[in-house]
Amino acid sequence: MNKHSEPTRSADAQQVTLRSPAELADALPFLMGFHPSDSVVLVALHGDEGRFGGRLRLGIPRSPREWEPVSVQLAACLVEGSERRGSRPEGIVAFLCQDPGDGATGRGVRDRLQPLAQLIRTGFGRLDIPVHEVLCISDGRFWSYCCPDTRCCPPEGTPLALPGTSVMAAASAYAGIQVRGSLREMEARLEPWHGSAERAAKQEQALDEAAGALVPRILGGGNREQVGVSTLRAARDLMDRLAQAAPAPPRREEGGWGIEGADGGTDAADDRLIADEEAAAVIIGLQDRETRDRAAQWMEGPDAEPALRLWRALARRCVGSYAEHAVAPLTLAGWVAWSSGDEPTARVALGLALRLDPTYTFAQLLHQAFNEGLDPETLRRCMRGERVAAGRQQPCQVRQSTAKQTKKSMRKSMRKRVVRKATIKKATPRTVPSPRLRPGPPATRGRATGRSGQRGTKSGK
């Protein structure tokens, strides 16, 4: 049995000891904030105590031919990110999470992914970093690729613990940590409607009409400021409307911790509160970079929760050939979630944005800052200053975009990090209980591909 724990001693953090592959498998959703699906998850270990460090998640490539180069790239990314945070990993724990397809079994998934597990081990081996454990999680069971003892890791797999019964679950419940369902459920809250074709067709028609009316005004320049003002006014009205309708509470499972479902009752209610024409006008208006940057200033206090609900709702309305228009609301959703301390939602939203448009600058910068463990307060200060400055400026004055402000703030923070070798404290309201394999700031760096068709104006960068 591979053991990955030694006592850690910290006066300000609750410690949880993870002694076996079973406890590692049960802890994974709490480390990520959701149940990873169809994912490779890598976790860096530091020090003799095996403290958890950076985490990296990427979808499992469908073609086995991609597994070797992806494994090499994942190893390099995790090590590079850890070194930028101050220390090179001294070990790795890896998880391969994938449910079986029709007619398949979890054991079949284990056998099929075994070459990927070996490539991950050799990828880190080239960097002289040992992989202490690789677990396959599938169909409610787990298998260890590293433990040869069939008494604890039988060939048929070991059932995962019942929800809420593990040590990590108890500690997380005590700390108020929520697991937000599966990755698929979280993505479904941000993806275009997949239900009624008639419903989607009506929304697409509304987007056609809004694009026809607004794009010439945005590109013409003369009415661009007016379009921005009307877009922000409409978005503000929708936020106020959503704020008056309280979100549905998260459903509960037997374990007792909060879990948001595919919509949790809130998304469907929010969709009913927003007319197709209202959504279309704001979506098209947000394609203007300056309008999007001003909307990003709704990132804290009472604005944050209705803003996140609005950006989710607008991302779901980007149907059909308007799929790429979702990049702006997805990026805004990721920013508000990160600013509010909701790291799992931020990670998923920014990942979807970059999957649609890998060149979208604002999403790239936010994703990089998030992965570097920077404090979002740095960017919040920039946006507060920009909001104050905007009140003193005339419409014709040129303002520096939020993307540029983000880049400047990141460079400044990174220079301070190099000179002082200081750790920037993350502004999150609560943290996962710290196991003796202690979780640290995430280090996800996936490279997603795939572009969708679009109409109207290109998404702003």
Side-chain angles (χ1 to χ4, degrees), residues 284-366:
I284 298 302
L286 288 175
Q287 305 310 304
D288 176 66
R289 183 182 62 193
E290 290 189 4
T291 303
R292 176 210 64 197
D293 290 352
R294 290 159 65 186
Q297 295 169 5
W298 296 322
M299 75 271 181
E300 57 188 341
D303 287 339
E305 189 266 341
L308 179 56
R309 290 166 62 189
L310 176 60
W311 306 142
R312 277 174 167 161
L314 294 182
R316 293 192 296 270
R317 299 293 186 108
C318 296
V319 297
S321 57
Y322 288 90
E324 194 168 293
H325 284 63
V327 177
L330 284 171
T331 304
L332 290 170
W335 159 236
V336 175
W338 180 34
S339 177
S340 304
D342 185 353
E343 294 185 2
T345 297
R347 187 181 306 284
V348 172
L350 292 174
L352 288 175
L354 291 172
R355 186 185 303 175
L356 287 170
D357 186 353
T359 67
Y360 196 79
T361 306
F362 192 24
Q364 285 179 329
L365 295 173
L366 288 174

Side-chain angles (χ1 to χ4, degrees), residues 23 32 78 94 105 108 140 181 230 235 280 312 327 372 420 424 453:
E23 292 178 348
M32 301 300 293
L78 184 56
T105 64
S230 63
R312 277 174 167 161
V327 177
E372 295 295 341
R420 301 179 184 177
I424 299 176

Side-chain angles (χ1 to χ4, degrees), residues 152-211:
C152 58
C153 298
E156 66 273 15
T158 304
L160 295 171
L162 293 174
T165 62
S166 68
V167 173
M168 193 67 176
S172 296
Y174 178 78
I177 303 301
Q178 293 184 352
V179 176
R180 293 164 173 80
S182 69
L183 176 60
R184 290 193 186 96
E185 288 175 333
M186 295 184 69
E187 290 180 339
R189 303 192 72 187
L190 297 160
E191 290 176 340
W193 287 338
H194 299 301
S196 169
E198 180 181 359
R199 182 188 189 191
K202 289 181 179 179
Q203 181 62 70
E204 188 167 9
Q205 181 179 357
L207 286 163
D208 281 338
E209 294 172 356

Side-chain angles (χ1 to χ4, degrees), residues 400-416:
Q400 193 172 31
S401 72
T402 300
K404 292 181 180 179
Q405 290 281 18
T406 307
K407 199 168 187 177
K408 285 180 61 179
S409 300
M410 285 175 57
R411 286 176 175 170
K412 184 177 180 181
S413 297
M414 292 306 294
R415 282 198 299 269
K416 289 181 178 178

Side-chain angles (χ1 to χ4, degrees), residues 6-89:
E6 293 292 340
T8 58
R9 296 168 178 82
S10 175
D12 59 350
Q14 182 181 2
Q15 304 298 319
V16 178
T17 302
L18 305 180
R19 298 183 180 277
S20 66
E23 292 178 348
L24 281 173
D26 295 333
L28 179 60
F30 301 97
L31 301 179
M32 301 300 293
F34 54 86
H35 293 271
S37 51
D38 196 28
S39 299
V40 180
V41 179
L42 303 175
V43 183
L45 304 178
H46 297 274
D48 295 336
E49 299 168 338
R51 293 176 294 105
F52 280 11
R55 281 157 281 169
L56 189 155
R57 190 208 70 83
L58 184 68
I60 296 176
R62 293 186 179 181
S63 172
R65 289 178 295 182
E66 300 178 28
W67 290 355
E68 183 172 6
V70 165
S71 298
V72 172
Q73 184 181 14
L74 289 175
C77 287
L78 184 56
V79 172
E80 180 184 348
S82 297
E83 289 177 338
R84 278 201 296 267
R85 280 191 214 64
S87 65
R88 181 181 177 85

